[in-house]
């Protein structure tokens, strides 16, 4: 983890394979703070050019075009409520 603006910022997991793509990091967060990934990378002297969220909880975001949305299925709603402790 890194300390930034008085906060300890940590990722649960960081994967990096420079032999495949030296510019690609995959970070897993349980709970994200405001602009956490950008702040963590900036503290190392680098910058984020592109950031893509691929999953929220157990819900894969898939291939929705930028700015688009779809309705959640009943199963997905139940899954998210269960993960958040609402049921």
């Amino acid at each position: 983890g890194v300390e930034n603006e008085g906060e300890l910022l940590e990722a649960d997991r960081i994967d990096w394979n420079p032999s495949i793509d030296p510019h690609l990091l995959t970070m897993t967060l349980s709970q994200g703070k405001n602009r956490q990934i950008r702040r963590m990378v900036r503290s190392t002297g680098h910058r984020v050019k592109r950031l893509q969220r691929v999953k929220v909880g157990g819900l894969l975001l898939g291939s929705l075009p930028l700015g688009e949305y779809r309705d959640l299925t009943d199963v997905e709603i139940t899954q998210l409520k269960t993960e958040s402790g609402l049921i």
Side-chain angles (χ1 to χ4, degrees):
V2 297
E3 189 169 325
N4 182 268
E5 299 174 10
E7 288 185 278
L8 179 61
L9 304 175
E10 296 179 291
D12 295 332
R13 181 178 174 153
I14 299 175
D15 294 309
W16 178 56
N17 188 335
S19 63
I20 294 175
D21 185 344
H23 302 95
L24 178 66
L25 289 176
T26 301
M27 289 192 187
T28 303
L29 307 177
S30 294
Q31 179 180 6
K33 298 178 182 175
N34 186 37
R35 301 180 62 80
Q36 178 174 344
I37 292 174
R38 292 184 190 278
R39 291 166 54 198
M40 289 174 69
V41 171
R42 185 177 59 227
S43 74
T44 68
H46 294 85
R47 65 186 175 104
V48 174
K49 284 186 161 183
R50 181 171 174 255
L51 184 62
Q52 180 179 4
R53 183 184 306 233
V54 295
K55 189 174 176 183
V56 176
L59 181 64
L60 288 172
L61 299 181
S63 60
L64 282 176
L66 186 62
E68 295 294 317
Y69 68 93
R70 68 169 177 80
D71 292 332
L72 296 174
T73 66
D74 290 339
V75 171
E76 291 169 331
I77 292 170
T78 301
Q79 179 183 358
L80 291 171
K81 285 181 178 180
T82 301
E83 290 172 0
S84 66
L86 295 175
I87 59 171

